[in-house]
Every structure is written in structure tokens, then in C-alpha cells.
Amino acid sequence: MLTTATTIEIRPVETKADLDAFVRLPWALYRNDPQWVPPLIGEVKGLLSEKSNPYFGHAKARYWLALRDGKPVGRISAQIDELVQQHMGQGIGQWGMFECEDDPEIAARLLETAESWLKAGGMTEAMGPFSLSIWDEPGLLVDGFEHPPLLMTPHHLPYYAGLVEGQGYAKVKDLYAYDLDITTGFPERIQRIVAAGDKNPRIRIRKADPSRFEQEVRLVLEILNDAWSDNWGYIPLTEAEIAYAAKKMKPLVKPDLVRICEFEGKPAAFMLTLPDLNELQRDLDGRLFPFGWAKLLWRLRKPFTQRVRVPLMGVRKELQASRNGALMAMMLIEHIRRDAVGVFSNRGELSWILEDNLPMRNILENIGCFIYKTYRIYSKPLV
């Protein structure tokens, strides 16, 4: 552990140079971590930009750098989101983008700065990390450091949890990432259940129609907003955010990896699986220019990655507690598994799953999934 022998300066991000330093800091911190994947610099800047990210239509944020002798050694963001106030609770402010050298003083100064800003904005509780929202990269990795992060999931250094907990933060919720060997198929008992579902005239599983991409995205996200509305941490996606997400996901979406389930003729459930963009961009060092974009586009034509990821899946609320709801979830996974194995990947990650979402956890564990990563959300009262 480092000892701070010099003065630590906490500086707000105000200039282009500050923003560059904020975005590039992980390159120094993770230089000896073989699992870390450099994010695309343009994507990170787009996330943080009030001009490009529609998140800022209902939220505001500030960013800070920690410097020792002029050298960046830590960073943090703080966010106040109107939709968090409405759906998670009044007075909940959030922080994220947390990166830090192994030094409790730096961590303390960063977190205190974020907390002070939240308190000045009327917040009574600090919760994090969210980088920037629950739809981006929520949670601090506390288990599974030996595995690389998949697209839209965070990766952290093992000492981060100690730094955060050392400032009085306590666990609010764990989020799990499940791993599945998709080469083996389901246990025989589950296969019989799925086969019966395939013969059920009330249930129809179909692929997404790429010629109707925007309509299909809206349908999927409409089901999602209904399916997740009672979940802890749920924040509805706005119209602008739906359009933004559709534009970003379009190059990644493969029709064979998306399924929509109709029940009695009405769209009732869906599952979206994506190739692991992180693996495809790992050697680009965060840069698409001058030649990185061409490499990435070529790789996306027929992507095969170590794992594919299921970032979004949902069954309409009215069916979630029913036998048909569980059946549709298993059918969606199996239909995509058949098309993915050997073509897109041989393993899948289903993430993230709330620790207390026992119905979904039971489904996943019954088909052979196991937890291989844990992300933690922390909270602290602001007094």
C-alpha cells in the first residue's frame, strides 16, 4: 500500500486536457492487469458529454481528478438524477467512474468531494458506483477479477472495495454475472420442458426482423420497461435514450442472437444477446483511428468471441410468476443457444442478475449456469 508523502489536489474537470486525463487514467492504473480491456476513448467521452448523452436530459453530473505532484492518481464522478429521485427514492445521489491508486487518503478525498457536491444538491444518501447510470456500468467488481470484462460491464482492481468500505460505505445490493457452457445443452429434464413449449400453440418464438430494426428495438424496450418496473434500481428509459441505445447497438445486433416471444399472439418476452465487443477491440488501445475502425467493422461481420453476453432479457410482469413465464425464459435461452454455439461463441454470460431475483436465478441455475462474477452497490448516509 502506498503512503501519501505529498499533497493531494482534487481538481474539477473543466478543460479538454482535464477530460483527457480523466478518461486516460485507467491506462496507468491497469497497466499490470492482464484482464483489463481498454475502453474506446470516444465512447467514454460520449458517455460523459452533456451534448451527446441523453441521460443528461434528466440528470446532472460533475467529474474530478485527484493529482499528486501534478500527476493524475484518481478520479470520480457524482450524479443527481431526477428519475432516480422518482423511482429509487428521494435524496439518493450517486457517484461513479471511480478509479484510484491504492491509497486511502486519495480515495477519502475523492469520495468526500463527491459527497459534498451531492449534499450541496440536497441529497441525503450517496450510492454507487454507477458509471453513470444503472443502464451503463453499475457496481464495483468484488469477485471474479481473473476474468476479463465483457461489453458494458465494469472491471476493477481488487483493492477498490477496501478503499470504498474504509470510507463508511456498506453493501446495498449485489449483482451477479452467470456463466454458461453453451456447448452441452440443457439437462434432459429441462429439454423436455422446452420441447413441450415448442409444441404449445399459445407460444411462438421468433427472431428479430432486421428490416424493422427501429420498431423491433422499441418493442424490446417496451417489454423491458414493463418487465423490470418492479425491480430494485429500475429507472425507465426515455424516448431519447431508447433512440440513442438503438443507434449504438445496431452494429452489434445479430438477428440469430435476438428472440421475441409471443404469448397468445402478443409480444410477451424477449432476449438480446451480443458478441463481446471488448474482445474484438482489445488490441485497439481505445482508438478507432486511423485504422481501428476498419479492423473493428471487419471483425463484426462474423464475430466469434470467447463469450457472448445477454445484457437484456425480460418477461412481461403479468406472466413473471406463472409457469408460462418461466417456460418462455428457458425457451428463449435455448433457442439462442442453438444458433450461437460454434458460430458466435461456446460460452455465454448472463448479466447482471439481482441477488434477490430468485425466480430468474432458479431458472439459470437449473439450466447449468453458475455465478462467476459479483458486482456490489454501496450506500452511505450523508450527514
Side-chain angles (χ1 to χ4, degrees):
M1 184 177 290
L2 296 172
T3 348
T4 307
T6 53
T7 303
I8 300 299
E9 175 194 359
I10 305 298
R11 186 168 75 199
V13 171
E14 294 177 334
T15 67
K16 184 178 181 298
D18 291 338
L19 181 62
D20 287 340
F22 186 93
V23 171
R24 294 287 310 193
L25 176 62
W27 271 256
L29 295 176
Y30 292 89
R31 62 186 178 276
N32 296 320
D33 185 341
Q35 303 304 336
W36 180 69
V37 178
L40 293 175
I41 294 170
E43 287 294 309
V44 180
K45 288 185 175 180
L47 173 74
L48 302 176
S49 170
E50 294 184 13
K51 292 181 179 178
S52 64
N53 187 350
Y55 164 78
F56 291 101
H58 52 82
K60 58 183 179 180
R62 287 295 302 271
Y63 316 121
W64 296 270
L65 278 167
L67 301 103
R68 182 198 290 118
D69 297 332
K71 175 188 172 185
V73 290
R75 75 179 194 188
I76 200 167
S77 68
Q79 304 93 246
I80 297 176
D81 185 342
E82 294 174 7
L83 294 181
V84 167
Q85 309 303 298
Q86 295 170 24
H87 295 271
M88 289 185 72
Q90 286 292 328
I92 296 177
Q94 298 178 331
W95 54 268
M97 307 301 295
F98 178 75
E99 305 285 357
C100 188
E101 286 192 356
D102 192 2
D103 186 327
E105 182 181 345
I106 299 171
R109 294 284 306 282
L110 285 167
L111 287 162
E112 287 166 1
T113 300
E115 291 161 10
S116 295
W117 185 83
L118 293 174
K119 285 176 69 176
M123 300 297 100
T124 56
E125 180 180 353
M127 188 180 291
F130 296 92
S131 302
L132 292 169
S133 84
I134 201 161
W135 294 109
D136 296 313
E137 294 185 1
L140 187 74
L141 184 68
V142 295
D143 186 55
F145 302 100
E146 68 274 24
H147 302 288
L150 273 66
L151 81 162
M152 299 188 292
T153 66
H155 183 72
H156 298 110
L157 293 162
Y159 62 80
Y160 280 20
L163 294 179
V164 172
E165 291 165 12
Q167 296 308 308
Y169 281 87
K171 168 191 159 181
V172 173
K173 196 75 67 176
D174 278 350
L175 317 175
Y176 294 141
Y178 277 86
D179 178 78
L180 176 65
D181 179 352
I182 65 174
T183 65
T184 58
F186 289 172
E188 186 177 343
R189 176 177 63 88
I190 304 298
Q191 288 184 30
R192 288 197 300 268
I193 293 172
V194 170
D198 286 334
K199 295 175 184 176
N200 188 330
R202 296 194 297 169
I203 298 174
R204 174 180 174 246
I205 304 280
R206 68 172 178 85
K207 295 181 182 181
D209 182 352
S211 69
R212 302 176 62 253
F213 181 79
E214 290 187 8
Q215 296 97 313
E216 296 284 59
V217 167
R218 289 187 174 277
L219 172 60
V220 160
L221 294 178
E222 189 269 324
I223 297 173
L224 178 73
N225 271 338
D226 176 75
W228 285 32
S229 59
D230 289 338
N231 284 2
W232 180 90
Y234 165 77
I235 304 296
L237 288 163
T238 65
E239 284 293 315
E241 286 171 312
I242 288 172
Y244 184 68
K247 183 178 179 181
K248 289 183 69 175
M249 285 195 300
K250 190 170 185 178
L252 292 174
V253 172
K254 305 298 176 185
D256 287 345
L257 297 181
V258 185
R259 290 292 191 282
I260 294 167
C261 181
E262 297 173 356
F263 183 71
E264 298 180 340
K266 298 178 182 178
F270 79 96
M271 177 170 153
L272 169 68
T273 305
L274 297 174
D276 181 21
L277 181 64
N278 278 8
E279 183 177 329
L280 300 176
Q281 70 184 38
R282 186 173 194 136
D283 63 340
L284 303 183
D285 197 34
R287 299 186 180 279
L288 286 178
F289 297 97
F291 305 115
W293 66 272
K295 290 181 181 179
L296 190 55
L297 285 177
W298 178 259
R299 293 167 185 174
L300 283 170
R301 289 176 68 247
K302 293 183 178 179
F304 185 93
T305 54
Q306 184 179 1
R307 284 183 176 86
V308 289
R309 179 176 178 235
V310 180
L312 297 175
M313 180 179 181
V315 177
R316 286 195 186 274
K317 196 161 47 177
E318 65 189 77
L319 293 166
Q320 286 174 2
S322 71
R323 183 178 300 176
N324 283 319
L327 172 60
M328 287 188 286
M330 287 188 283
M331 291 173 67
L332 288 165
I333 296 170
E334 172 60 6
H335 278 242
I336 290 181
R337 184 199 71 80
R338 293 172 191 165
D339 280 354
V341 65
V343 178
F344 293 99
S345 186
N346 288 321
R347 301 198 77 85
E349 175 180 302
L350 296 96
S351 64
W352 41 265
I353 311 296
L354 287 168
E355 63 176 330
D356 49 7
N357 187 351
L358 298 183
M360 180 54 69
R361 290 185 58 193
N362 287 335
I363 290 171
L364 297 183
E365 289 164 18
N366 277 326
I367 64 173
C369 295
F370 63 92
I371 296 168
Y372 85 123
K373 291 181 186 174
T374 301
Y375 306 96
R376 185 158 294 163
I377 305 290
Y378 290 93
S379 180
K380 175 183 175 180
L382 297 176
V383 292

PDB file of all heavy atoms in Angstrom, residues 54 191 221 230 248 265:
ATOM      1  N   PRO A  54     -28.159  11.413 -23.893  1.00  0.00           N
ATOM      2  CA  PRO A  54     -29.488  11.874 -23.459  1.00  0.00           C
ATOM      3  C   PRO A  54     -29.778  11.628 -21.979  1.00  0.00           C
ATOM      4  O   PRO A  54     -30.784  12.124 -21.471  1.00  0.00           O
ATOM      5  CB  PRO A  54     -30.445  11.071 -24.349  1.00  0.00           C
ATOM      6  CG  PRO A  54     -29.665   9.890 -24.803  1.00  0.00           C
ATOM      7  CD  PRO A  54     -28.241  10.339 -24.896  1.00  0.00           C
ATOM      8  N   GLN A 191     -34.785 -29.979 -21.145  1.00  0.00           N
ATOM      9  CA  GLN A 191     -35.003 -30.146 -22.584  1.00  0.00           C
ATOM     10  C   GLN A 191     -36.427 -30.608 -22.875  1.00  0.00           C
ATOM     11  O   GLN A 191     -37.047 -30.161 -23.845  1.00  0.00           O
ATOM     12  CB  GLN A 191     -34.001 -31.155 -23.143  1.00  0.00           C
ATOM     13  CG  GLN A 191     -32.576 -30.643 -23.229  1.00  0.00           C
ATOM     14  CD  GLN A 191     -31.640 -31.652 -23.868  1.00  0.00           C
ATOM     15  OE1 GLN A 191     -32.048 -32.447 -24.694  1.00  0.00           O
ATOM     16  NE2 GLN A 191     -30.371 -31.624 -23.480  1.00  0.00           N
ATOM     17  N   LEU A 221     -37.665  -2.755 -25.884  1.00  0.00           N
ATOM     18  CA  LEU A 221     -37.506  -1.863 -24.746  1.00  0.00           C
ATOM     19  C   LEU A 221     -38.843  -1.567 -24.069  1.00  0.00           C
ATOM     20  O   LEU A 221     -38.888  -1.304 -22.862  1.00  0.00           O
ATOM     21  CB  LEU A 221     -36.806  -0.570 -25.169  1.00  0.00           C
ATOM     22  CG  LEU A 221     -35.342  -0.796 -25.616  1.00  0.00           C
ATOM     23  CD1 LEU A 221     -34.717   0.513 -26.081  1.00  0.00           C
ATOM     24  CD2 LEU A 221     -34.506  -1.402 -24.503  1.00  0.00           C
ATOM     25  N   ASP A 230     -40.698  -3.312 -11.485  1.00  0.00           N
ATOM     26  CA  ASP A 230     -40.724  -3.527 -10.036  1.00  0.00           C
ATOM     27  C   ASP A 230     -39.357  -3.904  -9.473  1.00  0.00           C
ATOM     28  O   ASP A 230     -39.226  -4.153  -8.273  1.00  0.00           O
ATOM     29  CB  ASP A 230     -41.731  -4.640  -9.685  1.00  0.00           C
ATOM     30  CG  ASP A 230     -43.171  -4.194  -9.884  1.00  0.00           C
ATOM     31  OD1 ASP A 230     -43.414  -2.973  -9.883  1.00  0.00           O
ATOM     32  OD2 ASP A 230     -44.046  -5.073 -10.048  1.00  0.00           O
ATOM     33  N   LYS A 248     -26.496   2.918 -31.031  1.00  0.00           N
ATOM     34  CA  LYS A 248     -25.225   2.349 -30.579  1.00  0.00           C
ATOM     35  C   LYS A 248     -25.197   0.834 -30.738  1.00  0.00           C
ATOM     36  O   LYS A 248     -24.156   0.249 -31.039  1.00  0.00           O
ATOM     37  CB  LYS A 248     -24.984   2.717 -29.112  1.00  0.00           C
ATOM     38  CG  LYS A 248     -24.645   4.175 -28.891  1.00  0.00           C
ATOM     39  CD  LYS A 248     -24.354   4.462 -27.436  1.00  0.00           C
ATOM     40  CE  LYS A 248     -23.068   3.814 -26.989  1.00  0.00           C
ATOM     41  NZ  LYS A 248     -22.704   4.191 -25.608  1.00  0.00           N
ATOM     42  N   GLY A 265     -50.483 -14.527 -29.203  1.00  0.00           N
ATOM     43  CA  GLY A 265     -50.444 -13.530 -30.267  1.00  0.00           C
ATOM     44  C   GLY A 265     -49.899 -12.172 -29.890  1.00  0.00           C
ATOM     45  O   GLY A 265     -49.811 -11.279 -30.746  1.00  0.00           O
TER      46      GLY A 265
END
